[in-house]
Amino acid sequence: MISEKIEKLLNEQIAKEQYAAQYYLAMAAWFYTQDLDGIANYFRVQAKEELAHADKIFDFINNIGGTVIMSKVDAPPHDFKDAVDIFERALAHEKEVTKSIFNIYKTANDEENYATVSFLQWFINEQVEEEASASQLLVKIKMVKDNNSALFLFDQELAQRKLQDTTAE
Ligand code: FEO
């Protein structure tokens, strides 16, 4: 069983993961307008991962005897200045998600709800990876942004990204 407080936080996290998917799709859309379809592909795959994260929480709430309550998901911004701005926002967003996961983890720990603590461990590890990837890509885009050949290769590299089942235990 989970407390109402944890149930609410987990339901809010579903909406946050879905919002992240929307945000990444908005970023993908911007890159399509720049003919950088490879970078757009990266963000589309990222959006699918976020939806998988939402699904994972959805299943956990059900498995633990809670009730999933779906929320309205806000529209993301689309006023991106340039590619660097987008990668900066992606990293900042992942940091926000990490904070949110930590908050649920702390609450679950305080409540001695060890099933939720154990469940969230996967998300904590995932956030380490997501922040690291976002951070590395930010460094790279800053390096290549003013060099068309390098930008072309970076775009080609990100075109290779495919959805992997990262949600397995
Ligand atoms: Fe689901 Fe990118 O955090």
Side-chain angles (χ1 to χ4, degrees):
M1 279 299 296
I2 46 174
S3 67
E4 277 182 26
K5 190 172 176 184
I6 300 269
E7 185 182 73
K8 182 169 181 287
L9 287 172
L10 288 171
N11 272 309
E12 286 169 1
Q13 192 63 35
I14 290 178
K16 287 178 185 178
E17 301 290 345
Q18 291 176 327
Y19 176 78
Q22 292 282 89
Y23 203 179
Y24 287 132
L25 282 175
M27 294 176 183
W30 186 89
F31 281 107
Y32 281 123
T33 69
Q34 307 298 306
D35 293 325
L36 290 165
D37 292 11
I39 306 179
N41 170 68
Y42 173 87
F43 282 108
R44 289 191 79 173
V45 172
Q46 189 59 37
K48 287 180 185 150
E49 275 202 6
E50 299 303 347
L51 292 178
H53 295 169
D55 274 356
K56 199 172 170 78
I57 301 168
F58 185 108
D59 287 339
F60 177 72
I61 295 173
N62 279 325
N63 288 343
I64 205 162
T67 304
V68 171
I69 299 181
M70 303 308 294
S71 309
K72 184 173 165 219
V73 179
D74 290 338
H78 52 85
D79 59 333
F80 305 118
K81 285 201 298 273
D82 53 30
V84 171
D85 177 41
I86 290 184
F87 279 97
E88 281 174 346
R89 291 197 204 197
L91 176 58
H93 189 70
E94 286 304 333
K95 288 183 174 176
E96 284 302 311
V97 171
T98 300
K99 262 196 242 167
S100 180
I101 297 285
F102 282 174
N103 180 45
I104 311 173
Y105 187 92
K106 182 177 184 315
T107 308
N109 220 5
D110 290 348
E111 292 187 8
E112 299 184 355
N113 183 330
Y114 297 117
T116 303
V117 166
S118 169
F119 170 71
L120 289 174
Q121 194 61 55
W122 181 91
F123 278 87
I124 290 173
N125 295 339
E126 177 74 0
Q127 284 310 120
V128 170
E129 283 179 26
E130 297 225 325
E131 282 193 30
S133 305
S135 182
Q136 284 163 6
L137 290 173
L138 176 58
V139 169
K140 281 194 183 179
I141 193 72
K142 284 180 177 170
M143 282 180 195
V144 304
K145 68 182 171 59
D146 296 323
N147 178 325
N148 281 347
S149 304
L151 187 58
F152 176 78
L153 291 175
F154 182 63
D155 188 63
Q156 296 280 92
E157 181 190 329
L158 294 196
Q160 305 306 314
R161 187 180 186 198
K162 291 187 174 59
L163 185 65
Q164 291 171 341
D165 185 8
T166 59
T167 59
E169 295 298 333

